[in-house]
Every structure is written in C-alpha cells, then in structure tokens.
C-alpha cells in the first residue's frame, strides 16, 4: 500500500468555491500542511477513518517529501472520491 490520493475533487473540496471553511481557514490549513511537510487529507475519507490525500491539494500544491518518495517508488494509488457524506 502506498500513498492514496482521491482520483478527483469532491463536491466540497477545500480547493473549490464549495469548500466548507472560509478562505482564511483554507489558507491556514495549507500553510500548516506545507510547514509540516505533509498534505491535506480528504475530509470525506477522514470521516470514514482513511488517510487519503485531497485531489485539490495534489493538483495545486508542491509535493511533500512523502509524495516525492511515493512517486519515485511508483507507490501512488488513486482511489475513488466519495460522492456521499457531509
């Protein structure tokens, strides 16, 4: 098992106009992820107890060290994006 990433953005993606937090909070989340060399987890997968990178984060942010390693090892797996929830 490698690094799981949503295959597409969900309908409430942090990186869309339908986000469930303010733009200010979004900026804080992104800043914290980058400072900690991690990534934003898809909130819908998190509710289900899974650690899956948000596709919007994957598309818009520089890769973390973990993502670079996973890419080099060909260990990235795109998983279905939840359609339900929240």
């Amino acid at each position: 098992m490698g690094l799981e990433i949503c295959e597409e953005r969900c309908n409430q993606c942090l990186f869309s106009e339908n986000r469930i937090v303010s733009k200010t909070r979004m900026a804080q989340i992104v800043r914290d992820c980058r400072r900690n060399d991690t990534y934003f987890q898809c909130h819908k997968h998190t509710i289900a107890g899974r650690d899956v990178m948000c596709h919007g984060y994957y598309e818009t942010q520089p890769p973390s060290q973990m993502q670079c390693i996973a890419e080099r090892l060909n260990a990235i797996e795109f998983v279905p994006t939840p359609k339900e929830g929240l």
Side-chain angles (χ1 to χ4, degrees), residues 6-42:
C6 285
E7 63 188 2
E8 61 186 16
R9 294 180 188 199
C10 76
N11 63 349
Q12 294 176 316
C13 183
L14 182 68
F15 298 89
S16 74
E17 293 300 317
N18 294 327
R19 74 180 73 77
I20 58 176
V21 297
S22 69
K23 282 187 177 187
T24 301
R25 179 65 183 129
M26 175 195 158
Q28 291 171 335
I29 291 168
V30 170
R31 189 171 41 253
D32 289 346
C33 288
R34 294 187 62 194
R35 181 181 316 126
N36 295 322
D37 195 32
T38 187
Y39 55 85
F40 179 67
Q41 296 176 345
C42 169

Side-chain angles (χ1 to χ4, degrees), residues 9 13 15 26 30 34 54-63:
R9 294 180 188 199
C13 183
F15 298 89
M26 175 195 158
V30 170
R34 294 187 62 194
C54 165
H55 192 82
Y57 190 89
Y58 172 74
E59 287 182 319
T60 64
Q61 301 303 307

Side-chain angles (χ1 to χ4, degrees), residues 68-76:
C68 290
I69 292 167
E71 287 173 350
R72 286 185 190 118
L73 295 173
N74 198 27
I76 290 182

Side-chain angles (χ1 to χ4, degrees), residues 6 10-13 40-50 52 81-86:
C6 285
C10 76
N11 63 349
Q12 294 176 316
C13 183
F40 179 67
Q41 296 176 345
C42 169
H43 64 281
K44 291 186 178 187
H45 277 291
T46 302
I47 290 168
R50 296 188 64 208
V52 177
T81 302
K83 303 295 181 202
E84 302 296 320
L86 293 180

